[in-house]
Amino acid sequence: MTEPPAPAAHPRDDAVIDLLGALSYAQLTGFQALASAAGRAPDLRTTTSFARLAVAMFGRFERVGARLAGLGVAQPDAMAPFVAAIDAFHARTAPSDWLEAIVKAYVGDGIVRDFYTQMAAHLDPDNRDFVVRLIGDAGAAETIVALVRPVIAADPRAAGRLALWARRIMGEAVQQTQSVAVERPSLTALLVGGEPGSDVAEVGRMFGRIAEAHTARMQSLGLAS
Amino acid sequence: MTEPPAPAAHPRDDAVIDLLGALSYAQLTGFQALASAAGRAPDLRTTTSFARLAVAMFGRFERVGARLAGLGVAQPDAMAPFVAAIDAFHARTAPSDWLEAIVKAYVGDGIVRDFYTQMAAHLDPDNRDFVVRLIGDAGAAETIVALVRPVIAADPRAAGRLALWARRIMGEAVQQTQSVAVERPSLTALLVGGEPGSDVAEVGRMFGRIAEAHTARMQSLGLAS
């Protein structure tokens, strides 16, 4: 594709705002999911650990909000276009017990981190640094792996059920992200390196890379993906 | 009663640990209730406000945890004796919608603050200062009043339903606190000024004062108690 992108006021700025808005709503609902998981924890120490993860997630949400404010955008306005897709994701992956809740936290956190790591490569240096620092701060993964591994090692039936569950979360995340990509062309253009036209194939390749990282995460959890 | 208190190792220290343990679990479950209320909010700004209140509540929980650590007590151990009563309170006051959730947040926050304000009068200066500063930091009330008043002013039927709901929350809180007081004599002694014997009458008077404060709060919300 050699034609210039379709004329929009600031397609790249719009895309950055979209990126930060989608991340904000993923974080806000992630906060709620972690707080809810805390309520299912088997003991008070784990409840406290999960509440702490939720609060750390909200701290990152506030940092993204401050960045959006710096761009002159109210965070709720930036989030609004992504509410339907992310709410649909959560509605279709509502955990039925503690193990499903923490596997969802782990898989969801990993997908968001992979997605934004992929995205960051296509951002200007300033926004890239912001996203990389933000994503680098997430420390939920180790806490969750330490909780889930012994359960899976001790209970092969749980492992089978949770492997299916993780696959379903990955599938729903891909589906909802694709539905957003279709509706937000400037975001999709950013996502694939700013070159509209090669979108479909490149989006497919990006999901391929995210799926590979997902497989590696499942193995570190003791699950076949 | 002129006899000295019953001989126990450090009844006053035990009572302070109980006080901070009960407060911790009220805060931890309060955090979860506020995070869950955030998920029912009618718009993203209000969701964010409630998530922020939840995070502030957790910040106070962490301050109490640090204080307990200074006394050589792990926060989960201090919380454990109060889990049954506080869980029972939440199970019996599970909100069925957004308005019930925020009225519960307001009433519950007020009861906890009144209770600890009453308690503080009987503490040594150091612990009193800690409790007073901690309780003074709570800023949920104004946020909630601003949200609820217009709804109640516009809908007299909602007002009637929510007045009943608030009364039920108050009743459950009193009942669960009494069940704890029966089981924790050193806490009850602290609660009534360190003089076992006049317990029953004094606990009754304390609840009378909390009920008066509750009535005033209901009026500021636009509800008859």
Side-chain angles (χ1 to χ4, degrees), chain A residues 25 28 31-32 35-36 38-40 44-45 47-48 50-52 54-55 58-59 61-62 74-77 79-80 83, chain B residues 25 28 31-32 35-36 38-40 44-45 47-48 50-52 54-55 58-59 61-62 74-77 79-80 83:
Chain A
Y25 197 63
L28 185 57
F31 160 80
Q32 292 168 262
S36 170
R40 299 175 185 263
L44 293 174
R45 272 177 185 76
T47 300
T48 304
F50 265 72
R52 220 168 259 146
V55 168
F58 193 76
F61 166 85
E62 295 278 45
Q75 198 172 18
D77 297 340
M79 289 192 280
V83 167
Chain B
Y25 196 63
L28 185 57
F31 160 79
Q32 292 168 265
S36 170
R40 298 175 187 262
L44 293 174
R45 272 177 185 76
T47 300
T48 303
F50 264 73
R52 222 168 257 148
V55 169
F58 192 77
F61 166 85
E62 297 277 44
Q75 197 171 21
D77 297 339
M79 289 193 280
V83 167

Side-chain angles (χ1 to χ4, degrees), chain B residues 16-35:
Chain B
V16 169
I17 290 163
D18 271 0
L19 187 69
L20 298 179
L23 179 56
S24 294
Y25 196 63
Q27 291 169 321
L28 185 57
T29 57
F31 160 79
Q32 292 168 265
L34 286 166

Side-chain angles (χ1 to χ4, degrees), chain A residues 99-149:
Chain A
L99 281 175
E100 288 190 2
I102 57 177
V103 168
K104 178 178 170 180
Y106 179 73
V107 174
D109 180 69
I111 293 170
V112 167
R113 280 141 74 69
D114 287 342
F115 182 77
Y116 280 86
T117 303
Q118 297 275 337
M119 283 288 214
H122 302 304
L123 289 170
D124 60 282
D126 191 45
N127 280 308
R128 181 165 61 231
D129 285 355
F130 174 76
V131 167
V132 167
R133 264 203 311 275
L134 190 80
I135 298 298
D137 276 2
E142 285 170 30
T143 305
I144 293 171
V145 170
L147 285 165
V148 176
R149 281 198 74 141

Side-chain angles (χ1 to χ4, degrees), chain B residues 9-130:
Chain B
H10 295 286
R12 182 158 282 270
D13 284 358
D14 286 353
V16 169
I17 290 163
D18 271 0
L19 187 69
L20 298 179
L23 179 56
S24 294
Y25 196 63
Q27 291 169 321
L28 185 57
T29 57
F31 160 79
Q32 292 168 265
L34 286 166
S36 170
R40 298 175 187 262
D43 58 68
L44 293 174
R45 272 177 185 76
T46 314
T47 300
T48 303
S49 295
F50 264 73
R52 222 168 257 148
L53 291 176
V55 169
M57 177 74 83
F58 192 77
R60 293 193 293 277
F61 166 85
E62 297 277 44
R63 283 165 63 192
V64 178
R67 182 127 192 127
L68 282 163
L71 297 169
V73 180
Q75 197 171 21
D77 297 339
M79 289 193 280
F82 307 101
V83 167
I86 293 173
D87 280 355
F89 167 76
H90 285 294
R92 291 175 191 191
T93 59
S96 64
D97 62 20
W98 161 243
L99 281 175
E100 289 190 1
I102 57 178
V103 167
K104 178 178 171 180
Y106 179 74
V107 174
D109 180 70
I111 294 171
V112 168
R113 279 140 75 68
D114 288 341
F115 181 79
Y116 280 85
T117 304
Q118 298 274 338
M119 282 289 213
H122 304 303
L123 289 171
D124 60 281
D126 192 45
N127 280 309
R128 181 165 60 233
D129 286 354
F130 174 76

